[in-house]
Amino acid sequence: MPVRKIAIAITLLLLHGCIKSEDFDTPNKNCSATLAPNTTFKAVKELYKGDLLLITEDLILEGFVISSDQAGNFFGTIHLQDAAENPTAGIQLLVDLRSSYLQYPLGTKVLLKLKGLYLGKQKGVFVLGGTFAAFGTTSVGRLPALKIPEHLLVVCDNPVQLAPKAIDLADIDSSLTSTLVQFSRVEVITAEQDSTYAVAETETTRTLIDCNDITIKLLNSGYANFQAQQLPSGSGTATGVLVRERNNMFLAIRDTTDLFFTQEECPDLITEFTTDSFFFTELADPNNNADARFIELYYAGNETLPLEGWSIVRYTNANTEVGASLDLSEITLAPNSFLVIAKDALEFEATFGFAPNLEAGSNSPADSNGDDNLFLIDPFGTVIDAFGRIGEDGTGTNHEFEDGKAVRSLAIERANSTYDFTEWTLYNDTGDSGTINQPQNAPEDYNPGVRD
């Protein structure tokens, strides 16, 4: 046989021997069968003492990849957890690597060589990676792409099937940050069901709610390939990585299949929020201390009331457009309880001796000088309770509380979407007849958190 034909035959034989089938897997270049883990997620986190730490010990951590950047909802981060099922801990590895899912697919068992990595916290969450310096401060940054194979090694097993930890929204624990979880019988809140997953090029939160009216924010990237898709209707399971920013918990899905909604919506969900049992009871503009301004509301219902989607808006003076808005979504009210909202929490506590439920800040609805109009708005944009009249400056009217206060009568137990002067007692400096022209001073003339 001529030499050329022999060479071609050998080449074809070698190619045939490498490819066992048409469905061959991508070769794994970082497969490791020799190293063994010698530390735990808990032990690694305990190394952190409050300052950025360069790990110098030969520590090896075993974990499973639970995030994926294939759909674009994760970027520059690989989330690892300690077990393929029933995880107890997780951590983030910051990486400068696009399409990391090709090298580290979901379910991949990995060994992370910690020596030479930095350990720190970002927004209260443990992270590992390289370093990033800006404005004289060094923090954990993305591990350069060429360094990643030196630290993140794939164990010589095929990716395993991950089993998310099934938990209720009521049982969310920050210890499960960066683990794969699944919530059952959840749905998108009614007010957002016509929305897309995210606003283009903008990190966007949407809201999931369960049949017990407990919510969690769904965190979506404006660059995800499903960004423009409409959120699903119905209810079902939501699977994803539990992520955290300080005290706020979020769910980040890998792709839209993580929302598997095949059931009907929960009965009487969200519509129960449209209640007239929640209303203003006192508005305060102390004559002697503008920083002690506050709004007091009372909830007279007998069931817990999550305020997801609720807000208070202020129409300043005679303006007909909203001048300030305060989102109440993070608040859940117990039956027969007050919601006290201060302009300045520290000044309020120093003045009245206890902390408010919420600080609204300057130029907020709680920072009214007594001639503005305030409205309580439900998740559907409906006015539930009203103080004042849109387009009418309060000065000299029967809804002025400048340098004073407006106090709801004890006989009133329901909200009123139209302002009714007869429901209120008003103290001010220049109000209309029927009001009391007597400025009020804090703390002696006020009693926040009590109806009297």
Side-chain angles (χ1 to χ4, degrees):
M1 179 183 297
V3 172
R4 182 179 179 185
K5 291 185 177 181
I6 293 175
I8 293 173
I10 292 173
T11 300
L12 290 173
L13 180 62
L14 290 173
L15 289 173
H16 179 74
C18 290
I19 302 175
K20 296 181 180 180
S21 70
E22 293 181 358
D23 297 321
F24 61 92
D25 295 327
T26 301
N28 197 325
K29 299 179 180 179
N30 298 321
C31 175
S32 174
T34 57
L35 296 177
N38 59 10
T39 190
T40 65
F41 282 69
K42 181 176 183 291
V44 170
K45 293 175 182 179
E46 288 176 347
L47 295 173
Y48 183 76
K49 304 301 180 185
D51 296 316
L52 182 67
L53 173 68
L54 172 62
I55 300 176
T56 58
E57 300 177 67
D58 289 314
L59 300 177
I60 299 174
L61 185 69
E62 181 180 272
F64 292 82
V65 176
I66 61 166
S67 61
S68 170
D69 60 359
Q70 185 171 7
N73 208 33
F74 291 85
F75 177 77
T77 300
I78 297 176
H79 290 259
L80 306 173
Q81 69 181 31
D82 60 355
E85 57 184 48
N86 198 30
T88 62
I91 203 165
Q92 296 181 48
L93 176 65
L94 306 185
V95 294
D96 188 12
L97 180 65
R98 293 181 181 273
S99 300
S100 63
Y101 74 94
L102 294 174
Q103 296 182 46
Y104 307 102
L106 282 172
T108 300
K109 186 176 182 179
V110 295
L111 293 173
L112 184 60
K113 298 174 67 175
L114 298 175
K115 186 175 182 179
L117 295 182
Y118 287 82
L119 172 67
K121 273 189 172 183
Q122 292 184 357
K123 298 181 180 180
V125 179
F126 286 103
V127 291
L128 291 163
T131 56
F132 174 77
F135 305 107
T137 301
T138 302
S139 59
V140 180
R142 295 177 191 159
L143 190 63
L146 294 178
K147 286 286 186 180
I148 295 172
E150 298 177 13
H151 292 275
L152 192 61
L153 310 177
V154 174
V155 176
C156 296
D157 296 327
N158 290 324
V160 301
Q161 186 67 38
L162 296 168
K165 187 178 184 69
I167 59 172
D168 294 328
L169 286 177
D171 297 328
I172 290 177
D173 189 321
S174 61
S175 67
L176 294 177
T177 299
S178 292
T179 66
L180 189 66
V181 298
Q182 183 176 86
F183 304 111
S184 61
R185 204 66 200 278
V186 297
E187 62 185 67
V188 178
I189 62 170
T190 303
E192 294 180 354
Q193 285 185 5
D194 291 332
S195 302
T196 60
Y197 277 88
V199 177
E201 300 181 5
T202 304
E203 186 174 78
T204 306
T205 59
R206 302 303 187 196
T207 307
L208 299 177
I209 188 167
D210 68 11
C211 293
N212 295 314
D213 295 347
I214 300 173
T215 62
I216 187 172
K217 293 292 186 180
L218 188 68
L219 187 64
N220 300 318
S221 169
Y223 295 93
N225 63 16
F226 54 81
Q227 164 267 319
Q229 294 183 36
Q230 183 173 324
L231 290 161
S233 58
S235 70
T237 59
T239 304
V241 180
L242 193 62
V243 297
R244 180 165 61 95
E245 291 185 4
R246 297 185 176 88
N247 294 325
N248 299 313
M249 306 300 294
F250 304 86
L251 185 71
I253 60 175
R254 286 79 56 86
D255 57 45
T256 56
T257 63
D258 275 341
L259 297 185
F260 188 65
F261 290 180
T262 58
Q263 300 171 278
E264 295 182 354
E265 295 179 3
C266 297
D268 299 324
L269 195 63
I270 282 293
T271 55
E272 295 178 356
F273 287 10
T274 308
T275 173
D276 59 0
S277 298
F278 183 37
F279 50 93
F280 295 116
T281 47
E282 185 172 359
L283 310 173
D285 175 37
N287 176 57
N288 62 328
N289 189 352
D291 288 333
R293 291 170 176 166
F294 66 87
I295 295 173
E296 176 194 87
L297 300 97
Y298 184 69
Y299 172 52
N302 296 319
E303 302 291 335
T304 298
L305 177 64
L307 296 181
E308 180 64 45
W310 285 75
S311 63
I312 297 173
V313 299
R314 185 187 81 194
Y315 290 83
T316 306
N317 306 133
N319 286 304
T320 57
E321 294 185 359
V322 173
S325 179
L326 178 64
D327 184 8
L328 303 179
S329 293
E330 299 302 320
I331 303 293
T332 296
L333 294 175
N336 302 303
S337 64
F338 288 93
L339 174 61
V340 178
I341 305 169
K343 169 192 174 181
D344 183 314
L346 291 178
E347 186 63 30
F348 179 93
E349 185 170 5
T351 303
F352 297 107
F354 69 96
N357 301 104
L358 185 65
E359 180 182 60
S362 298
N363 301 315
S364 69
D367 189 22
S368 173
N369 66 352
D371 55 9
D372 305 317
N373 304 297
L374 298 168
F375 296 85
L376 178 64
I377 311 295
D378 79 355
F380 304 98
T382 303
V383 174
I384 298 301
D385 199 29
F387 179 86
R389 303 179 186 91
I390 297 174
E392 181 178 277
D393 189 308
T395 302
T397 71
N398 65 5
H399 58 90
E400 178 191 342
F401 62 98
E402 184 174 346
D403 294 333
K405 63 184 178 181
V407 181
R408 204 73 167 263
S409 168
L410 282 173
I412 303 303
E413 297 182 349
R414 289 290 181 267
N416 190 342
S417 61
T418 302
Y419 177 67
D420 184 348
F421 166 63
T422 64
E423 297 181 356
W424 295 85
T425 300
L426 292 104
Y427 296 80
N428 51 49
D429 51 7
T430 60
D432 199 1
S433 62
T435 68
I436 303 171
N437 297 152
Q438 181 179 317
Q440 302 287 286
N441 292 320
E444 58 268 23
D445 294 328
Y446 298 86
N447 200 5
V450 178
R451 294 197 72 184
D452 53 12

